[in-house]
Amino acid sequence: MASWAALSPSIVEYFEGEDFYRCGYCKNESGSLSNGMWAHSLTAQDYQDLIDRGGFRSGKYVYKPVMNQTCCPQYTIRCRPLQFQPSKSHKKVLKKMLKFLAKGEISKGSCEDEPMDSTAEDTVAGDFALINKLDIRCDLKTLRDDLQESLESEEKKGKNAKKEESTELTESQRAEEKLGSGEPSPSVKVQTTPKPGKGADLTKPPCRKAKEIRKERKRLKLMQRSSAEEPQGLRAQGEPPSLIPPKAKSNAPKSLEDFIFEPLPEDASHKLEVRVVRSSPPSSQFKATFQESYQIYKRYQMIVHKDPPDKPTVSQFTRFLCSSPLEAENPPDGPECGYGSFHQQYWLDGRIIAVGVIDILPHCVSSVYLYYDPDYSFLSLGVYSALREIAFTKQLHEKTSQLSYYYMGFYIHSCPKMKYKGQYRPSDLLCPETYVWVPIEQCLPSLENSKYCRFNQDPEAGDEGRSQDPDRLQVFYRKAVLPYGVYRRQRRDPREEAAVLQYASLVGQRCSERMLLFR
């Protein structure tokens, strides 16, 4: 796993959206339009910033719909787990799972308002054709070697120009500025233990109020008292027992965790265990379960999505749901599992029945896809997995306070299948023009009147993160990293300039200065 301070910068190739293609939502043969980039590598912070500007990844392809032209505008949606309370229909799904685990009961029929599919499945399915056209097999190792050579060359020049002492001072100042603004500083070694009077020690747990400590002690006592009958399989891998709350008081509504972690009887019919395994780069646990996981995916695509047997191949599965441009990062103030791409596996009685593909980023857990064994569709695994991922986000927030959102992909008001995401409240939609988050309740009236809407009601507000100085955009060209202003003077190609400016407007100023645009 790459250390936090030594991460390589993101490397991307940009593609303009020239042609309309088939829409995976309304099935219009030439209604969908998007711009995108092939990400050879991405840091977690860069991808966080990209999805906060309306982007989303399918495998290593990061795309953004052209919102005012595409047939089905796709609005990024996020849930606020810290304020989340399960609805009546959510509780019904949770109780159904508990009854099945405890007594083996199978509910007859299913609620029509309970979607059985993934929170993001059509996002991927709608772009199969486009991404297949851009199936780039680029030698990333060669790119990295070229980049390393370039960085080492620049470093030698810097040492000759300035004394080592002054260089260290400048890097230290830059690190403090970037940490203060929330931006990562991949090329600077950051001191994790500050000097006295210079801020909190990130290696130690944060201070807590006495009331919180008393609550924790009481919780631990209750946990010890009921530890004999508590099912270990209901905890996500690595989840500390102290995060599992005691049974709710009769005068207080049951929380999401109360339902999920409700103790089962000793003679329970089934055992459910949730494991989080890193998928890219693949961990040993991921490799050991790859074939079993793929077989679930294949059955899911064939039975639920009616794919022919030759379509859900190992290659397709790997490219879309296992390959990821995200670096594996483990910063000192991040979650124990680190940032990057993971598979959240649902094990029932020793075998996988469902897999949630997720990205863990600095501010959120992002849901990418879900596939499950169709034999267990009666458990409403689409809804259940979303609720588990919301609870998982709250768990990660305990250690990483800024990680407090659950991104559910895209909300499409004009597509009935995708409107259910609005049921996970409170939630926000991303304004496609100013990139600010607006509560979904304020957006729905406008969406009833028009497919495409600007949610920010301030007519004077603009895109504060827009590209204002394209010449500072970083280009990776012929084994060298150089500002776009220098590159442009060398190339003098008006057609290429239009594409680069479009790329800059999509990714914003901060990402354009951090990421390397491969030419």
Side-chain angles (χ1 to χ4, degrees), residues 312-425:
T313 62
V314 172
S315 174
Q316 184 204 60
F317 172 66
T318 303
R319 192 186 329 142
F320 285 93
L321 300 179
C322 304
S323 297
S324 169
L326 289 174
E327 299 281 352
E329 304 176 32
N330 194 13
D333 59 343
E336 289 183 12
C337 59
Y339 298 135
S341 298
F342 299 82
H343 280 196
Q344 196 163 36
Q345 301 174 338
Y346 294 78
W347 290 74
L348 182 69
D349 302 332
R351 58 185 292 263
I352 298 175
I353 64 164
V355 178
V357 182
I358 60 173
D359 293 328
I360 300 178
L361 303 173
H363 297 147
C364 74
V365 169
S366 174
S367 175
V368 178
Y369 200 70
L370 173 84
Y371 54 95
Y372 56 81
D373 187 337
D375 290 345
Y376 294 92
S377 60
F378 62 88
L379 289 173
S380 302
L381 291 169
V383 177
Y384 183 77
S385 65
L387 296 173
R388 289 293 300 234
E389 287 170 7
I390 290 172
F392 182 52
T393 305
K394 293 174 70 175
Q395 176 192 329
L396 296 179
H397 173 78
E398 292 286 331
K399 182 180 185 298
T400 309
S401 59
Q402 74 271 18
L403 202 165
S404 53
Y405 296 102
Y406 174 59
Y407 284 44
M408 297 180 283
F410 290 130
Y411 174 84
I412 305 175
H413 193 74
S414 57
C415 179
K417 275 187 67 178
M418 303 300 285
K419 288 175 70 174
Y420 72 89
K421 296 182 183 183
Q423 298 172 6
Y424 297 85
R425 304 284 181 94

Side-chain angles (χ1 to χ4, degrees), residues 167-363:
T167 304
E168 288 177 358
L169 176 61
T170 305
E171 288 182 347
S172 176
Q173 289 170 343
R174 287 177 184 167
E176 288 180 7
E177 289 172 3
K178 294 228 175 188
L179 284 171
S181 64
E183 294 182 32
S185 182
S187 62
V188 179
K189 292 183 179 179
V190 180
Q191 185 174 348
T192 57
T193 306
K195 296 177 180 179
K198 292 291 184 180
D201 188 347
L202 297 177
T203 63
K204 297 179 180 180
C207 297
R208 295 188 299 169
K209 293 181 180 179
K211 185 177 180 182
E212 292 178 355
I213 294 173
R214 288 197 299 271
K215 283 184 176 180
E216 185 70 15
R217 286 174 182 165
K218 186 177 180 181
R219 184 183 297 181
L220 284 170
K221 286 181 181 178
L222 287 168
M223 284 301 303
Q224 290 168 359
R225 199 175 301 168
S226 60
S227 61
E229 63 265 16
E230 182 184 285
Q232 296 297 316
L234 278 176
R235 289 207 299 266
Q237 187 179 33
E239 183 174 347
S242 61
L243 291 179
I244 302 176
K247 191 173 181 180
K249 296 180 181 178
S250 57
N251 61 344
K254 291 180 73 172
S255 69
L256 176 60
E257 289 81 4
D258 290 332
F259 282 103
I260 291 176
F261 301 116
E262 184 171 313
L264 295 175
E266 290 185 12
D267 59 345
S269 299
H270 301 284
K271 178 182 178 182
L272 179 68
E273 182 182 2
V274 180
R275 303 177 189 174
V276 180
V277 299
R278 185 177 288 279
S279 55
S280 181
S283 65
S284 57
Q285 299 98 320
F286 177 82
K287 292 177 181 177
T289 57
F290 179 86
Q291 278 300 327
E292 183 177 358
S293 185
Y294 163 66
Q295 291 301 327
I296 298 294
Y297 166 77
K298 185 175 182 179
R299 290 198 70 230
Y300 173 80
Q301 293 296 131
M302 290 171 58
I303 296 175
V304 177
H305 290 290
K306 313 301 180 187
D307 283 358
D310 60 340
K311 186 177 179 181
T313 62
V314 172
S315 174
Q316 184 204 60
F317 172 66
T318 303
R319 192 186 329 142
F320 285 93
L321 300 179
C322 304
S323 297
S324 169
L326 289 174
E327 299 281 352
E329 304 176 32
N330 194 13
D333 59 343
E336 289 183 12
C337 59
Y339 298 135
S341 298
F342 299 82
H343 280 196
Q344 196 163 36
Q345 301 174 338
Y346 294 78
W347 290 74
L348 182 69
D349 302 332
R351 58 185 292 263
I352 298 175
I353 64 164
V355 178
V357 182
I358 60 173
D359 293 328
I360 300 178
L361 303 173
H363 297 147

Side-chain angles (χ1 to χ4, degrees), residues 97-109:
M97 176 64 81
L98 285 171
K99 286 181 180 178
F100 174 72
L101 295 175
K103 303 177 182 178
E105 290 184 9
I106 299 176
S107 302
K108 293 182 180 179

